[in-house]
Amino acid sequence: MTTLSPENSLSARLSASFILGLHPIVRTEAWKFLTGYYLWQSSHDERLAVDSTRRKNYEALCQMYERIQPLLENLHQNFIETRNSITCDIQKLYDKDPLGNVLIDKKSLEKILLLSYVCNTQAEYQKGFHEMVMLFQLMVEHDHETFWLFQFFLQKMEHSCVINIGVGKNLDMLNNLITFLDPVFAEHLKGKGAGAVQSLFPWFCLCFQRAFKSFDDVWRLWEVLLTGKPCRNFQVLVAYSLLHMVREQVLQEKMAGEDILLACNNLIDLDADELISAACLVYAELIQKDVPQPLKDFFL
């Protein structure tokens, strides 16, 4: 890769991440490049300086939060409600492995989520963020790394997992994709199966986290999404592939919307590589067709 131009070298790295996945030994460091925490062309010294700056900025945000917390409690009812939701969600998390070893620091997790809620005006707290941030906490060592990785992940994903920004668009495009590629299935989903697709929003809110059998599978898919390969908004092709797994059952049993949702929720313990491959086949099918402009703008 060192013989390639910077642009081609970056493309090669992203392609390698997409095709081969990341080895667990390098995952922590590689994620900092994939998310934009570090620049790809940065030197070791530059990365040390960036990490130091991010730690100081995080500490400054924590100090700011402590100063304005009384004001938020007195003037903003939404803050109290959100804080209570975060506390409740975190308490439900399993924080130990089968041997009883503590996996996560719930107090740190709560602080990071509250800080993200206060500082990131684009992404208000929503159910599932606590599970996503937990995975970042498991990946890295320090709180400032967890906080910034989560922020950069949201930005890199164009906030596609945020309900009031990207989730609705994903669902609309999923409907359009089904209509274009599978008219028979689309007809059923508009008739007896009405409402099923719109009810699949948790897939996008959690970036499919609950569909997999291991954290490694979750990270594998997220790494692919971060590469932007083979196309933009690959998450919608993943959702299409998941929905296609229940297609035959839905049509044969003439399922209604609630039954379709139940069948989709039973899609668990999946293998990430198999799902990614299925979504890639959908992409290969898509680019062979005369794609409508809205889909072309969204994916291509």
Side-chain angles (χ1 to χ4, degrees):
M1 289 185 185
T2 58
T3 63
L4 300 174
S5 68
E7 293 78 11
N8 289 336
S9 178
L10 172 56
S11 179
R13 291 186 184 106
L14 292 176
S15 296
S17 299
F18 169 73
I19 297 168
L20 303 174
L22 294 173
H23 193 282
I25 292 176
V26 302
R27 174 164 282 137
T28 297
E29 199 70 7
W31 261 74
K32 293 178 180 179
F33 291 96
L34 285 173
T35 57
Y37 186 104
Y38 291 147
L39 295 177
W40 285 96
Q41 290 79 24
S42 60
S43 67
H44 177 68
D45 289 341
E46 288 171 336
R47 292 194 290 275
L48 288 176
V50 166
D51 191 69
S52 177
T53 299
R54 299 216 188 283
R55 176 178 53 78
K56 291 176 182 177
N57 288 343
Y58 175 76
E59 291 171 352
L61 289 174
C62 290
Q63 293 170 4
M64 177 206 69
Y65 170 74
E66 291 176 1
R67 289 196 299 269
I68 67 172
Q69 182 178 349
L71 184 65
L72 293 172
E73 291 173 341
N74 291 328
L75 298 180
H76 296 277
Q77 182 62 31
N78 286 345
F79 171 77
I80 297 176
E81 293 174 357
T82 301
R83 185 175 62 185
N84 291 340
S85 294
I86 290 173
T87 301
C88 182
D89 289 342
I90 288 177
Q91 292 308 312
K92 297 175 184 176
L93 286 175
Y94 293 107
D95 61 348
K96 296 180 181 179
D97 65 15
L99 298 178
N101 300 312
V102 176
L103 293 174
I104 58 174
D105 184 335
K106 288 188 174 182
K107 287 186 177 180
S108 292
L109 188 58
E110 182 175 5
K111 180 176 69 174
I112 291 167
L113 287 165
L114 279 169
L115 196 60
S116 179
Y117 165 69
V118 171
C119 297
N120 191 341
T121 56
Q122 285 189 294
E124 295 186 358
Y125 180 76
Q126 64 189 37
K127 294 288 184 181
F129 272 2
H130 65 299
E131 295 180 36
M132 293 178 69
V133 176
M134 178 193 71
L135 284 185
F136 290 111
Q137 191 182 67
L138 289 172
M139 186 189 300
V140 296
E141 184 178 356
H142 303 292
D143 287 353
H144 74 275
E145 296 172 306
T146 303
F147 175 81
W148 289 117
L149 277 180
F150 180 54
Q151 304 309 313
F152 282 116
F153 179 78
L154 293 177
Q155 292 177 24
K156 193 81 172 182
M157 292 288 294
E158 300 180 42
H159 291 86
S160 67
C161 58
V162 180
I163 288 178
N164 60 352
I165 300 178
V167 172
K169 181 71 171 178
N170 286 335
L171 293 169
D172 290 342
M173 286 298 122
L174 178 57
N175 262 320
N176 292 345
L177 186 64
I178 297 168
T179 300
F180 178 63
L181 292 180
D182 195 344
V184 173
F185 196 26
E187 192 66 26
H188 179 84
L189 292 173
K190 291 175 182 176
K192 190 172 182 180
V197 173
Q198 294 301 315
S199 299
L200 296 175
F201 64 90
W203 280 355
F204 296 111
C205 292
L206 291 167
C207 281
F208 310 99
Q209 183 176 339
R210 293 178 181 172
F212 294 112
K213 59 186 178 183
S214 71
F215 291 155
D216 284 328
D217 285 282
V218 179
W219 284 321
R220 170 71 172 121
L221 176 64
W222 289 4
E223 287 155 6
V224 167
L225 297 178
L226 286 171
T227 67
K229 294 180 178 295
C231 64
R232 294 176 58 245
N233 296 304
F234 189 64
Q235 70 275 359
V236 174
L237 300 182
V238 171
Y240 179 90
S241 301
L242 281 170
L243 194 53
H244 204 263
M245 291 179 185
V246 300
R247 178 188 186 276
E248 295 305 317
Q249 180 187 4
V250 168
L251 294 178
Q252 287 177 6
E253 299 179 15
K254 299 179 180 179
M255 287 183 171
E258 291 184 358
D259 294 325
I260 296 173
L261 179 60
L262 181 61
C264 289
N265 287 339
N266 287 333
L267 294 173
I268 56 175
D269 294 336
L270 301 180
D271 179 274
D273 282 319
E274 292 178 2
L275 182 57
I276 292 165
S277 296
C280 285
L281 290 176
V282 176
Y283 173 70
E285 179 184 359
L286 188 65
I287 60 176
Q288 296 298 319
K289 297 179 178 291
D290 185 13
V291 182
Q293 195 61 45
L295 287 176
K296 186 178 294 185
D297 292 341
F298 189 70
F299 290 113
L300 309 177

